[in-house]
Amino acid sequence: MEIYLYIALFSPLAGALFAAFFGMSKKNLITGVVNSLLIALSTAASLKLLCYLEADESVKANLMSWISVGGINIPFGFVVDRVSVIMMTTVGVVSTLVHVYSIYYMGHDKGFNRYFSYLSAFVFSMLVLVMSDNFLGLFIGWEGVGLCSWMLIGFWYHKDSASWAANEAFIMNRIADLGMLLGLFVIYWQTGSLEYESVFAIAPSLEPSTLTLIGILLFIGAMGKSAQFPLHTWLADAMEGPTPVSALIHAATMVTAGVYLVIRANPLFALIPDVGFFIACLGAFVAIFAALMALVNNDLKRIIAYSTLSQLGYMFVAAGLGAYWIALFHLMTHAFFKSLLFLGAGNVMHAMHDELNIKKMGGMFRAMKYTAILMSIASVALAGIYPFAGFFSKDKILEVALNEHAFVLFAALWVGAGLTAFYSFRLICLVFFGKKEHEKLKIHPHEASLLAILAMIPLGVLAIIAGKFEHIFEEFTTKFLPSYEFGLGHTSVSIMIAATSAVAIFGIAFALYVYLWRGGFSKTIEKWAIYKLLSNQYYIPKIYQEYIVRPFSALADFSWKKVDERVIDTSVDMVAKALKYFGEKTRKMQSGNLSTMLRWIVFGVIALLITAVFYSA
């Protein structure tokens, strides 16, 4: 089975190199087709491994000795187990469909070949991240997806906003990655290894304070990659990239890497429940924090981005409370319906000539029936309505919070479920129903191509049926991950499900009432302080700009102009001028006159004798 591991891992790399060969050439449709086929091949290999692992523990491959210096011996190895294969399959399915969709979406872009090279390179980096059998390999993939994300967010580099957003994402993640790197240093310092098996075997013997430090440092890295507060601002700004990039990277794969890290390192986090509870508390806070911003935002892609941020909070609640398989389950189901939402948003953008303000759309259902239906399916799944996928995975997280008697967390997640349902259908109503505001812009919307719809349909099907595999998923993953024991009675669970379903249905109904029946809220609401607070992202970007970016920029400017130019450069220049001056004066010694040269020799000998006498005394 090792050959399937190599096929799954290296097929995307082959696609990236193939597309890069045509990178500077004109659009070549073959590039998109070949890359899509190679990603599909990788996905097929992942599915083969998934089936194989029904009867086996794992598949391992040790390519070579990677770092062997002194006492350090880190192999370049990979492992496919029951956690990594779920991630591989999820990444593979979504990335295959995104690649196919991108043939349509990027069809008229001059950077078509370059785009596919970057996209396939991202998939390869993500697979390195999830398939590595040690923390250092994971970190290499971690940095690889960060680099590819930077290239894809700033794909249209001629736009200042795209370049700025790419740099923001890259720098903010590098800040978080410093914490993660320090965590890896501490792990190696305390255990003498970075391989998962060795580290997890030694972990129980470490001091609690050391484990706490490691857990905090690793989670700092997870906070950056999964855009958790206060390192969250980059995710919404990352919407400057092509929309299929948002579907793949910022909904289904890279932003879930932080959750994957906590799940993968569960033997460490299980030993430090206080850190786990903090992770859960932060996740619950972010679930509400981001959902509130989505309520008032009018940017089509940013609403979905804030929704992603909120759902990542749900995943961290489950992981923080020790329900690792449930966190992984929601990660998988969320990937399907959230990437479908982003691809649908791409269709709408094409139809609206890249207009993103949902208040300038409306009444587009007739023109875009298939897109509207698929996005509605994704929204129902996101809202957590039975029998769609989100119902099974999201409700399970609320059940975990209730089971742990974390009533405040449960209340936050319950309110978040209602907010999610409301803002999801606010988007659907304002885009596809109501008054045709787009006519004022003299835009005539049209449905996306058949290729785009065909790429979206499998995600729509998975958004409906993926939750039905809950018990199979639990049985499969808990042979590797710790099982989670529920102590709630049947009546309590039924009441909880009724309560969460009721708040979701209420959120949908209220959105339909406000935006279809009443035509929206009054504009006076925009004058409310809470509305301004939310629409300005709690003024956090402004706070960062005023109190971090500007002071740092001023310090850098001062260091450049006052310290570097006036002190360092002046000092170096003075040394150079002094040497030049003395050179000018002393070169007269080299006159070529024999008498003069003899006088200097006599002078030198006398100086040496005087020096010798002085030191001997």
Side-chain angles (χ1 to χ4, degrees), residues 55-69:
D56 205 334
E57 291 295 322
S58 63
V59 177
K60 297 182 180 180
N62 195 341
L63 296 184
M64 58 183 174
S65 180
W66 183 16
I67 299 176
S68 185
V69 180

Side-chain angles (χ1 to χ4, degrees), residues 83-84 87-88 90-91 122-131 135 137-147 149 173-174 176-177 180 196 217-228 234-235 248-266 269 279 308-309 311-313 315-316 319 324 327-328 330-332 334-335:
V83 172
S84 59
M87 289 294 294
M88 290 165 61
T90 303
V91 170
F122 168 81
V123 178
F124 170 69
S125 298
M126 190 68 195
L127 290 174
V128 170
L129 190 159
V130 301
M131 294 172 68
F135 280 103
L138 178 145
F139 188 73
I140 296 298
W142 192 275
E143 295 304 297
V145 295
L147 173 63
S149 175
N173 274 275
R174 297 296 74 72
D177 291 353
M180 182 178 174
Y196 296 143
L217 291 172
L218 291 180
F219 183 61
I220 289 173
M223 286 170 63
K225 200 65 76 184
S226 293
Q228 294 296 283
W234 69 267
L235 182 58
L248 179 61
I249 296 181
H250 306 125
T253 54
M254 188 189 82
V255 292
T256 61
V259 180
Y260 170 78
L261 175 61
V262 176
I263 295 170
R264 170 58 71 182
N266 73 86
F269 285 98
I279 292 171
T308 300
L309 188 55
Q311 296 306 305
L312 288 167
M315 297 175 208
F316 275 117
Y324 300 105
L328 187 62
H330 191 52
L331 185 158
M332 181 190 75
H334 173 265

Side-chain angles (χ1 to χ4, degrees), residues 163-486:
S163 295
W164 188 91
N167 290 336
E168 180 193 19
F170 192 81
I171 293 168
M172 193 164 285
N173 274 275
R174 297 296 74 72
I175 294 168
D177 291 353
L178 175 61
M180 182 178 174
L181 191 59
L182 291 173
L184 300 190
F185 287 154
V186 176
I187 289 173
Y188 183 78
W189 176 36
Q190 293 295 320
T191 66
S193 177
L194 287 172
E195 294 184 74
Y196 296 143
E197 288 185 359
S198 300
V199 172
F200 299 153
I202 297 171
S205 64
L206 299 180
E207 292 290 329
S209 58
T210 302
L211 287 170
T212 300
L213 177 62
I214 290 171
I216 291 171
L217 291 172
L218 291 180
F219 183 61
I220 289 173
M223 286 170 63
K225 200 65 76 184
S226 293
Q228 294 296 283
F229 177 86
L231 303 175
H232 65 282
T233 56
W234 69 267
L235 182 58
D237 293 333
M239 297 303 105
E240 287 288 339
T243 304
V245 170
S246 301
L248 179 61
I249 296 181
H250 306 125
T253 54
M254 188 189 82
V255 292
T256 61
V259 180
Y260 170 78
L261 175 61
V262 176
I263 295 170
R264 170 58 71 182
N266 73 86
L268 286 173
F269 285 98
L271 298 170
I272 42 177
D274 290 343
V275 174
F277 187 69
F278 170 78
I279 292 171
C281 290
L282 182 62
F285 168 76
V286 171
I288 291 285
F289 173 84
L292 289 171
M293 288 191 286
L295 287 180
V296 301
N297 204 285
N298 296 320
D299 186 296
L300 176 64
K301 289 176 67 177
R302 281 177 178 262
I303 293 170
I304 306 173
Y306 288 133
S307 175
T308 300
L309 188 55
S310 179
Q311 296 306 305
L312 288 167
Y314 279 82
M315 297 175 208
F316 275 117
V317 170
L321 294 178
Y324 300 105
W325 78 264
I326 296 172
L328 187 62
F329 186 47
H330 191 52
L331 185 158
M332 181 190 75
T333 60
H334 173 265
F336 300 141
F337 54 73
K338 188 54 64 64
S339 55
L340 178 58
L341 275 174
F342 269 117
L343 295 185
N347 291 355
V348 173
M349 285 179 64
H350 265 200
M352 288 293 297
H353 302 170
D354 292 335
E355 175 59 58
L356 285 166
N357 191 334
I358 58 176
K359 289 192 172 182
K360 295 182 180 180
M361 300 179 186
M364 296 170 62
F365 180 82
R366 286 192 176 182
M368 305 185 70
K369 287 183 180 178
Y370 297 114
T371 297
I373 292 169
L374 288 167
M375 288 189 74
S376 296
I377 289 171
S379 297
V380 173
L382 175 60
I385 302 298
Y386 181 85
F388 292 77
F391 168 82
F392 295 92
S393 57
K394 188 190 288 185
D395 271 30
K396 213 68 180 174
I397 296 173
L398 275 84
E399 189 178 344
V400 169
L402 198 61
N403 188 65
E404 294 291 327
H405 303 293
F407 300 117
V408 174
L409 300 187
F410 174 82
L413 298 180
W414 182 77
V415 172
L419 296 176
T420 301
F422 178 79
Y423 68 65
S424 297
F425 277 84
R426 170 179 177 262
L427 184 151
I428 295 296
C429 291
L430 288 175
V431 173
F432 295 111
F433 301 99
K435 188 177 179 181
K436 297 181 179 180
E437 296 293 339
H438 59 82
E439 291 181 345
K440 296 178 182 178
L441 303 175
K442 297 182 180 180
I443 293 175
H444 303 285
H446 56 84
E447 185 58 273
S449 74
L450 179 62
L451 180 64
I453 300 300
L454 290 175
M456 294 168 66
I457 288 174
L459 292 173
V461 173
L462 288 168
I464 297 171
I465 69 170
K468 299 291 182 67
F469 297 100
E470 175 191 339
H471 298 298
I472 297 173
F473 187 93
E474 179 183 4
E475 183 182 351
F476 181 81
T477 54
T478 51
K479 289 180 180 178
F480 183 85
L481 293 172
S483 59
Y484 184 83
E485 297 296 329
F486 287 99

Side-chain angles (χ1 to χ4, degrees), residues 46 49-50 53 80-89 476:
S46 297
L49 290 165
L50 176 68
L53 288 182
V80 178
D81 53 34
R82 291 171 186 266
V83 172
S84 59
V85 78
I86 293 294
M87 289 294 294
M88 290 165 61
T89 306
F476 181 81

